[in-house]
Each structure stands twice: as structure tokens, then as C-alpha cells.
Amino acid sequence: MAAFRTGKRSCTLSFATVPGEEGDDGIEIIIAADLAGDVTAFPVLISAESSTASDKEGTTPASETVSRLLLGHTASMLTGVKVVTDENKKMRIITSDRDEKIRVSSFPATYVVEGYLLGHTAFVSAIDVASEKGCMRCVSCSGDGTVRLWNYETCEELALLEGVLTKDDDDDDKNETEEKDSEMKDADKGSNDENTADKEEKISESNDDDSFLIPFGVSINSNGTNIAVIREGASFLDIYTIVESSEQDKTAKMKFEKKQTIECSFQPLGIKFVTDNAIYVLTKESVYLQCFQYDESKSLFVENSTLAVCTALKNAAISQDVKMPESVLETDSRGQIKLVKVQQKPAFAKNEELWNNSSRLLTAKKRAARRRKRRREGGNVD
């Protein structure tokens, strides 16, 4: 077993194989993305010769020195990293950060940036890719409440899933819809078009204040046909099927159709399609791990609590008294999510109101007029 020390705290990990020469199986590596925006690779196995030599010479252990910096996101925090291989054996590394960006780079020549997946308006909380070769689909979720499907080869957005409202806002939205219907009926009975437009504008403005459940975990199955989403503050997960859009809908090539909502024992902390027919969900104690498998007779995912891996993990966690976090989205002392960027005004903007004061501007204008007058008078005297 090897232990590695990273320069900054790692926030996400991924496994990959660096291709070797012909006839060589390649090198298994661990890829760590940290809060400083760097992606570093470490070997899974370290040769016995390197470890023995370092021990004899009294130098730093090889497990702490054998690493390679792959790439970096300037002045940002990384939130996801995935390595994929297409049907032509071309490899790519996909990384996401808090600055709304998802970068697609070549691998292992990571200095070659192939493109960006742009569209999110807040931090990207998680990404996942379809593992089946030939399927170029990537899914992402963000602090803006949306889930997006991409083609990472063409950097094209394929589908968009709008945010899910919180329960309170959902009830308010229903009430507003009923009010809107009522107002539209009144408009049909005698209100003029101008008044109707004003009412619709007010309703639209009120919808801008809606708050969404932030999706912080997403997983896509191997062939890219189903995705699962978990959201902050919700003890359930949603499963969606990806289907082709109708000919009338020209806004996107594909769309998400909700297939099922599954209630979990606690707030889900992580999610993964292990196979196309099995979803693993990481939760709080004392359950820790739940598995939902697809039941063809019911056409639904149902929980399987008899799996040995779930039982073994639960027993091990209980014996070690493992405490799980309330959420994977870290917050500061004020309860604000750390991934949310705080827009700070520059130093010169602190006195913005002072410099925009009308009386000050008027005084400056009069002062300039007096200067011009003195120059003219001085010129005449000469």
C-alpha cells in the first residue's frame, strides 16, 4: 500500500490507466483534483526498488515524490475530474470548477485543451461521463439549479433540465399559477390588453425570486440513456430518461423525462450507477450505503438491502463509529456555501456614492469654470 501527500486538500479523485508501449498494459494512476485548482497524478503501485532505495538513503519516501502535475485551473477550485476513452482509443480528461467552466483536455498530453462546456451560470457541483466507448455524453449539475447533458467531443449542449423548486416555493408557484389563470379569465371578460400584460409581467417578476434545490450529485449510466440526480436538502433522488426532442421543439436536441423519484433513508451524500441496472447511494449513519436495482416486472428501481457489500460497509462503519457529514457542500460561519463566489467591490468603488453625488459634481463643474475664466482674464492682461 502506498500513501501520498498532496499540496492542497483534494476534493475529488478518479482512476485512470496511462497507455504504455505496444504489449504493455500501461500504468494505473490515481488522479487528484484539489482546492487550489491543480490536477495531480499518482501511481497506484510503487516499485519495491524505489521504496527500498529511499529507505536506505534516508530520503523522502517515493510515495511522496512520485507525482506529476497534469493541469490547473487558474485561481479556481476544482469540483470534478473524469478520464474517458473513446472507440478510437483517444483519451480525454474532463475537469470542472467553481467558475462555471467545464474543460475538455487531451490525455495524457493535458496541455492540449480541446474545448469548454459553457452554459452554467454558477459553480459546477459535479460531473459524470458515460463509460461506454462511442458514447460521447457528459452530464453536469450546478449551483444555478440546472442539470445539463453535453457532447464532450463537439462541446455541444444536448439537453437542459431546469431547477427543482423548494417545497415552499413550489406551493407559491402553484398559487401564482392559479392567480394567473384567474387574472387571464378576468382579462377575457373585459380587461384590456395593456392591463393583462402588466399583470403577466408582475407574475413573471415574482417567479424570478424562486429558490431551487441545488443539485450536487449526478450520475449517468454507461450508455448515456439514464441519469440520477441528488439535491441539497432533499432526502430523495430523481431518475431521468434521456429521449430525443420532438420536431416542434427546436430549443434542444434531447430532453430529460422523469422516470422515478426514490425516497432514501437520509439525505443522499453521493450517487453512482455501478451498472445500468444498479444505483448505489451513500447516506448518513446508520445506513451508510443503499442499493437500488431495476425490477423489470415493476419497471422501477427498488431497494435491495440484502447485498453483502452494503451489510459489510454498515458493520465496519458502525464498529468504527463513523460520523457522516450533513452535506458535501461546505459552508462558512455564516452558513453560505463556500463554492458561491462573493462579488467584492474594488477599493475605488467604496466611495462610489460620494463621487456620484450631484452636489459634488456641480461644485467641481463651477471650479473648472472659474479656472477657465482666470486663464482668459490672465491672457487679456498680457
Side-chain angles (χ1 to χ4, degrees), residues 158-348:
L158 302 177
L160 168 65
L161 178 64
E162 297 290 351
V164 174
L165 294 174
T166 60
K167 185 176 180 181
D168 293 339
D169 288 329
D170 195 18
D171 294 339
D172 293 340
D173 187 56
K174 291 179 181 178
N175 294 334
E176 289 172 358
T177 303
E178 293 175 357
E179 291 176 5
K180 181 178 178 180
D181 294 339
S182 170
E183 291 171 354
M184 294 301 292
K185 290 179 181 178
D186 292 340
D188 293 338
K189 291 180 180 179
S191 300
N192 56 42
D193 295 339
E194 184 177 354
N195 291 336
T196 302
D198 291 341
K199 291 174 182 177
E200 290 179 349
E201 183 178 356
K202 290 179 180 179
I203 293 174
S204 176
E205 289 175 355
S206 66
N207 285 338
D208 292 339
D209 296 330
D210 291 335
S211 58
F212 297 94
L213 296 173
I214 297 178
F216 67 90
V218 65
S219 182
I220 187 169
N221 65 345
S222 63
N223 58 12
T225 56
N226 293 308
I227 70 163
V229 183
I230 54 177
R231 297 177 171 88
E232 177 73 5
S235 60
F236 60 84
L237 67 94
D238 287 328
I239 300 176
Y240 298 88
T241 299
I242 302 170
V243 298
E244 298 286 340
S245 296
S246 60
E247 295 181 357
Q248 293 78 10
D249 186 6
K250 297 182 180 180
T251 58
K253 291 185 177 182
M254 300 179 180
K255 62 180 181 180
F256 296 98
E257 286 188 354
K258 182 179 285 191
K259 184 175 183 178
Q260 185 181 356
T261 296
I262 301 176
E263 289 292 336
C264 301
S265 301
F266 300 97
Q267 159 81 65
L269 301 175
I271 187 171
K272 182 64 179 177
F273 270 102
V274 179
T275 67
D276 288 344
N277 296 320
I279 306 172
Y280 278 56
V281 181
L282 185 68
T283 66
K284 283 176 57 61
E285 63 276 1
S286 57
V287 176
Y288 294 104
L289 186 66
Q290 290 183 273
C291 177
F292 298 92
Q293 293 181 319
Y294 188 72
D295 188 335
E296 294 185 357
S297 63
K298 298 179 180 179
S299 298
L300 295 171
F301 283 88
V302 296
E303 184 177 4
N304 185 348
S305 58
T306 62
L307 288 180
V309 62
C310 295
T311 304
L313 178 63
K314 178 179 179 179
N315 293 337
I318 292 176
S319 64
Q320 297 295 323
D321 193 25
V322 175
K323 300 297 182 183
M324 304 294 286
E326 294 293 334
S327 171
V328 295
L329 293 178
E330 293 187 56
T331 57
D332 57 21
S333 58
R334 298 174 298 173
Q336 300 295 321
I337 297 176
K338 290 184 178 181
L339 287 175
V340 176
K341 293 186 295 183
V342 179
Q343 301 293 340
Q344 295 181 345
K345 291 185 178 181
F348 65 83

Side-chain angles (χ1 to χ4, degrees), residues 15-20 24-30 42-45 107:
F15 287 89
T17 301
V18 178
D24 189 359
D25 294 334
I27 303 173
E28 297 289 336
I29 62 173
I30 301 174
F42 302 90
V44 173
L45 298 176
F107 185 83

Side-chain angles (χ1 to χ4, degrees), residues 21 30 32 38 72 79 97 114 142 154 201 242 248 275 289 292 346 366 372:
E21 299 178 356
I30 301 174
D38 293 332
T79 58
D97 62 29
E114 298 187 7
S142 167
T154 62
E201 183 178 356
I242 302 170
Q248 293 78 10
T275 67
L289 186 66
F292 298 92
K366 291 179 179 179
R372 290 194 297 270

